[in-house]
Amino acid sequence: VAFRVVHAPSIYAAAPGLLGLQHYKFGRTTTLVRPEPNWFPTSPFDAVAENHARDLHTLVLLDIKADESYFMTANEGLTLLLELAKRTGNSWFTPETQVGVVARAGSDTGIRKTGPVGLLLNADFGAPLHCIVVPGKLQVVEQEAWETLRQAAPNGGFPPPAPGPTPGPGVPRGGGGGGRRRGPAHARHGPGGAGWRRGDRGRADSP
């Protein structure tokens, strides 16, 4: 049976699901902001360090300044995380530390990659929006998913959706019970945490 998973229109649900991580093992979310002259806040790394100490995963959102057409990329974010770790004395976070990156979650052109910071620093994730996940202690199923993504195709793209069966005459496209379909979800997060632009939701409802 052909199928396709369409995540809820929230990065809090999409990022863990796309990387094969358990939602309940995430700690406090943090947001990286672009440093300015004479202003380089280190507090965004506090959540990463606290979660790491508790073996929890961290969802790292990236700065958006829409009025300047600025959207922080995962490459910028990883570079910033390394600098923040250095400034805050968190020597455990190095270019060898494993991280995950999700780009354009919920779209057909999305990308998900896992691997060491040093390797992903120069990876091409394409257009925004991006986010980063710093994993805590991985349990067995999470580790299997992580390794699968690490060894996946170099471009890290999502596989194209498999074509479903063509409905017969008089059968609604949502299934035999008159379900309805909605289009894909497009998520967006902002510098304060998560401010989402909800598009069409891509779920087929059962009767």
Side-chain angles (χ1 to χ4, degrees):
V1 177
F3 73 93
R4 181 186 181 196
V5 177
V6 180
H7 299 276
S10 168
I11 197 64
Y12 293 106
L18 290 168
L19 294 175
L21 301 177
Q22 303 281 352
H23 295 76
Y24 68 87
K25 292 191 64 181
F26 276 75
R28 184 160 60 95
T29 299
T30 190
T31 300
L32 295 181
V33 295
R34 181 178 62 179
E36 304 289 348
N38 303 316
W39 185 68
F40 198 115
T42 58
S43 56
F45 202 86
D46 291 347
V48 181
E50 291 169 7
N51 292 338
H52 173 75
R54 299 168 59 197
D55 292 332
L56 298 176
H57 313 316
T58 306
L59 174 61
V60 182
L61 306 180
L62 305 178
D63 198 1
I64 289 177
K65 291 181 170 57
D67 58 328
E68 301 175 19
S69 297
Y70 171 76
F71 303 89
M72 182 180 288
T73 65
N75 311 83
E76 293 176 274
L78 293 172
T79 301
L80 186 53
L81 283 172
L82 286 172
E83 180 61 25
L84 289 172
K86 180 180 179 181
R87 292 189 180 214
T88 56
N90 284 280
S91 58
W92 61 269
F93 191 91
T94 70
E96 286 71 47
T97 300
Q98 288 284 318
V99 294
V101 172
V102 174
R104 298 175 303 286
S107 77
D108 291 337
T109 62
I111 285 179
R112 51 185 169 176
K113 293 184 180 181
T114 64
V117 174
L119 181 64
L120 298 186
L121 268 175
N122 298 314
D124 181 9
F125 300 108
L129 299 167
H130 302 169
C131 71
I132 299 169
V133 171
V134 180
K137 185 176 181 179
L138 299 174
Q139 52 99 272
V140 176
V141 176
E142 290 179 315
Q143 185 67 49
E144 291 177 356
W146 196 266
E147 288 300 313
T148 298
L149 291 174
R150 186 174 65 84
Q151 298 171 12
N155 65 4
F158 305 151
T166 302
V171 179
R173 296 192 62 85
R180 48 184 178 154
R181 282 189 183 272
R182 301 169 190 164
H186 298 279
R188 177 173 181 175
H189 55 259
W196 296 96
R197 180 186 63 202
R198 296 195 174 206
D200 298 330
R201 300 183 63 186
R203 180 168 62 86
D205 297 329
S206 299

